[in-house]
Amino acid sequence: MIEVSAKLERSGFALDVDVACKPGVIGLFGPSGSGKTTLARIIAGFEEPQTGEISFDCQPLYSTKQCINLKPHLRRVGYVFQDTRLFPHLTVGENISYGLRFQTSSPSIDFEELVSLLDLDGLLSKSPAALSGGEAQRVGFARAVMAHPKFLILDEPLSSLDQMRKYLVLKYLEKLKFRYEIPMLYITHDPSELFRIADSLVILESGKSLASAPLEDALGDPKFAAFLGVDALCRFVNAQVQEHLEGGLTRLSLGQQSLILAGLNAPVGARVRVRIPAQDVILAKGTLPLLSARNQLTAEVTDIQRGHGPGALITLSVDQQSLLVRVTAQALNELSLAVGDQCYALLKTLGFNARDVMI
Ligand code: ADP
Ligand code: MG
């Protein structure tokens, strides 16, 4: 458990946070200037709050009450910066082994294994200046992980990359997460980065921690949508690869029903988790005409929430799993849907993105 309460005031800005999160990957989300980096620097010990209590697994790193202020290197907090800050005079390999000098705990991290996990084998003798943005970030991750930190802070590491590169680099971060189980604070102002990597979410706005929740609860909660944007609303469903079909498609079983996606690179029987964005689901009632949508799931309406704007949020039960659907209030009226009604949830196969499927 990481627990942070801290207050810091500087001209025109006040930070006042109080958060407690289980380890795993904590997504820290907030607009630019909301105090994310300030909070990260306080946790790492680069900046001192006016008052605060910071502990990790009940061990205090900073405590006004107990007069504790551990020096940054004793906190064993790793920090990956947006601009990587690799040492330009060292090769990639030397940059990564630089982390070794901070490694005190055993079992230690194996250099070769880490390098191969991040596909950096071919880059070791290169200079950081010769790397692409995504490669440089992977080297930054490797250097930080090599020091085997107790906690790793990643401060907007992907914000200079385009969406496609972000996704590719996030896959490497996901590998690190599962291989080394180092608790992380992942800072971003892009909700799409959170879907894959975060386990819980903390919202920071104008220096205040406004809300925190497990990621999947937050992504289905209209309260969080006020910060993340309504297009981030979604649900995750569990499914299993049932068969690979002709035409480059894969059929997943979703209880008694199936979900057809573009071909997945996973064996039959593999368990997957699929993110279904609320705005991508179309609702239908009655007898269906011929439709291009490959996924026509039978569902039951379990909840309806009308918002103040044009949209309404409907929760469906599909074979004991839940889907969230965002449609206009006008459509809801026209379909005259009520809790307990049967309907169809229509999903386009090609509407799914590889980023939405966790294998
Ligand atoms: P974020 O990382 O969310 O963009 P920051 O923590 O960098 O936010 O900044 C929070 C506020 O503190 C902003 O108003 C910023 O201008 C201000 N700030 C950041 N660093 C300093 C500093 N070293 N001295 C004075 N003000 C700063
Ligand atoms: Mg920042």
Side-chain angles (χ1 to χ4, degrees), residues 127-274:
S127 147
L131 303 178
S132 70
E135 287 169 345
Q137 271 310 356
R138 271 149 57 200
V139 177
F141 296 160
R143 184 178 64 179
V145 168
M146 205 63 222
H148 208 179
K150 276 197 189 154
F151 189 61
L152 182 58
I153 295 175
L154 302 126
D155 192 352
E156 309 215 27
L158 308 185
S159 59
S160 62
L161 306 179
D162 57 51
Q163 284 299 335
M164 194 57 213
R165 293 240 158 65
K166 269 187 186 179
Y167 167 59
L168 295 174
V169 181
L170 268 175
K171 287 217 305 202
Y172 285 104
L173 204 53
E174 207 177 9
K175 285 194 199 178
L176 289 177
K177 169 181 170 178
F178 291 116
R179 171 63 186 89
Y180 298 109
E181 298 182 334
I182 300 170
M184 301 184 201
L185 181 72
Y186 186 90
I187 301 177
T188 184
H189 62 261
D190 177 355
S192 74
E193 288 174 31
L194 298 166
F195 301 148
R196 284 208 82 108
I197 197 74
D199 300 306
S200 59
L201 182 63
V202 174
I203 305 276
L204 198 64
E205 201 168 81
S206 305
K208 298 223 163 15
S209 46
L210 295 185
S212 68
L215 183 81
E216 295 193 6
D217 295 352
L219 292 175
D221 185 341
K223 183 177 84 188
F224 281 85
F227 306 107
L228 299 171
V230 279
D231 51 354
L233 282 166
C234 60
R235 280 280 151 85
F236 292 77
V237 295
N238 293 317
Q240 200 165 7
V241 177
Q242 198 175 6
E243 58 176 328
H244 295 294
L245 306 168
E246 276 182 31
L249 303 175
T250 298
R251 183 196 302 280
L252 304 178
S253 65
L254 191 72
Q256 301 297 312
Q257 306 195 57
S258 58
L259 194 61
I260 295 178
L261 306 186
L264 287 186
N265 189 11
V268 170
R271 295 185 181 279
V272 297
R273 205 150 166 72
V274 185

Side-chain angles (χ1 to χ4, degrees), residues 33 52-53 144 298 325:
E53 302 294 319
T298 54
V325 185

Side-chain angles (χ1 to χ4, degrees), residues 9-54:
E9 272 190 45
R10 49 165 90 108
S11 63
F13 177 76
L15 185 82
D16 183 356
V17 293
D18 194 359
V19 289
C21 283
K22 280 192 195 156
V25 179
I26 304 164
L28 177 63
F29 178 88
S32 186
S34 56
K36 303 181 297 296
T37 297
T38 305
L39 175 60
R41 287 172 54 81
I42 288 173
I43 296 171
F46 302 149
E47 198 152 349
E48 196 178 342
Q50 269 109 30
T51 59
E53 302 294 319
I54 303 171

